[in-house]
Amino acid sequence: MHSPGSKLLFAGTIFSSSFLLFLVQPLIAKQILPWFGGSAAVWSVCMVFFQVTLLGGYAYADWLSRHLSPRRQVQVHVTLLAASLLVLPILAGPQWKPAGEADPTLWILGLLIATIGLPYFMLSTTGPLLQSWVARSLIGTHVYRYFSLSNLASLLALMSYPFLIEPHARILTQAYAWSGVFVLFALSCAGSAWYFLHHTRRLPPAAHAPTHEPEGDWDPRPRDYLLWLGLAAMGSWLLLAITNHITQNVAAIPFLWLLPLSLYLLTFVLCFESDRWYRRAIVLPVTALLLLVCAYGLQDSAIGVNIKVAIPLYAAGLFFFCMFLHGELARLRPGPRYLTRFYLMLSLGGALGGITVGLIAPRVLPAYYELGIGLIITALLAMLVLRPAKTASEQPRGTASAPSHPLTSPLASGAAGALAVLCGYFLYVQVADDLADTRRITRNFYGNLQSVDVHRQDPRDDVRQLYHGSIKHGEQFLAPDRQRLPTTYYGQTSGIGRAIAATAAKKVGLIGLGTGTLAVYGRPGDVYRFYEINPQVLDLARSEFSFMNDSQAQIETALGDARLTLEREAPQGFDVLAVDAFSGDSVPVHLITAQAMDIYLRHLIHVTNRFLWLPPVVQEIASTKGLTTALIRDDPTGPGQRRTDWILVARNPAVLEQAGIRAAATPVAPISGLVAWTDDFNNLFQILK
């Protein structure tokens, strides 16, 4: 007899492994973020490591369960568990801080391997390996419910970190707490191994053809392996593609990426918890409709980039797309004999989808077209899934035919094919519209850039604009006599305009280039030094806009993360240093911490953000450093001007007492409980507008 305690032991071990697995990802990435510039590149390299390690863990579980005896499985796994404890706590040593300007990708991967490699690998193996142990030791257990449980744990970890953990614990505390829970997990996993060793049983022979009965055992065919791979890959593909679309093209809202990832995990929870959640008769028609509308929305701005329409639409779309993909995966799940191989193909598919969208698409596609392509492939995949099974006469001798489904018919398969054609047409229209309305369109690891000419009723008001996703990074009048006017965030009544006017600025540092608008303030003998991480921004600023080329000042540029570059440079002696990198959703927190403030000499920080109220953060840091601040909130009415929030920070209070600044300054309303941000602690939720 198997006691409830044994099932609880396995469930607790699988739950804790998945919870720790998803918790360590933001924890370690945030720990090393300030060392490597705080850019999206750091997160992307970390994600590649996590996906590849997860794939390695699933491959290990498959090999171990299929080739070693139960005793040898336990010996190998417990030995590796013990070895993983030797690298705790998961703290990146200072010796891993970068010292040069070379591409840090390999350095980051080496750091991750040395810091969390073995513990993360052991967590990655737990789900499939322990489920294979459950199948061979707990008779009558629906083993795939443990997969649903593991995804529920991942979802809870995902929601817990930004809401419960990050706002209340410093990184050092988080690392030690995580390491302590990992020790408990290792003990629980060792206990599960002991139970498996003493209660193992032989599996019955598998059927030759799919039965599609819950927990039924059958021999998969090559077609089944390909379907497992394709369905899993497209779930990962659409997750990342829709995340890119709504965060880059629709709204740069902090933490918006949580929504699609939560929906993605929820569909795994539902589809593998029970067969009752995935109903083809309901899911397939809704999925088909949403495929069509989402594809149409990519070339219709009234739908595709309207925040009130697009976010609910694409969130609902992702949910039903993944319900279809993961529901079909659950229908095709094999019995215990091939359980680890099934999970290996799921992991391989997820990695392939993630690598295609995360690493390949930014290098081969000029804009965010991977979502349109993904919708087409999903429709084609549905066409294969809905294709009727072979008749008995077409089956190999000695095999039984798979049961049919009412929605598996030539008509349903043909409808999916027609849907793929329509999605392809809408993608064609999207690309054609982009090429027709845009002067330059380019993309790299940092995102999609577009320069667009906007023609208005009065030709003197025509402008050329630069967009990074949905964020405007500047504009310039096309009329020759207005091309040297400062526009958008940089007007003469803005904080930066007043600061430059109030100082005999000779050397100005500017973090964040955009179109190079601030160069218009340059006078003969001045030096304006721009810091920019994206080389394509520099190319467009010089080729599409004339602010830098026409400036009377000497223009210098420095490519790379501004904080790292300033740390390496000799003192520049800036009269004004403008930090203008906070307009989007990917707020580079490492540029607005106490450690960053130590690097800056005299600071002028542009803190305009549609969703975050950043001035109190700067105010708090400045007060801890004994610096004086002045908040300039400007709402101009001139052509090409935009409302801005600039907070001026100076060592000498007299600088900010000049009439042009003090008369425009407004007090910064404090936020209760806000403390100075550091590289070790910050809380974006506390400053949400």
Side-chain angles (χ1 to χ4, degrees), residues 306-319:
N306 184 317
I307 185 173
K308 295 181 179 180
V309 176
I311 292 179
L313 170 65
Y314 287 96
L318 179 65
F319 177 78

Side-chain angles (χ1 to χ4, degrees), residues 5-21:
S6 60
K7 294 183 179 180
L8 186 62
L9 174 64
F10 280 101
T13 304
I14 291 173
F15 184 94
S16 61
S17 70
S18 296
F19 191 87
L20 290 171
L21 195 71

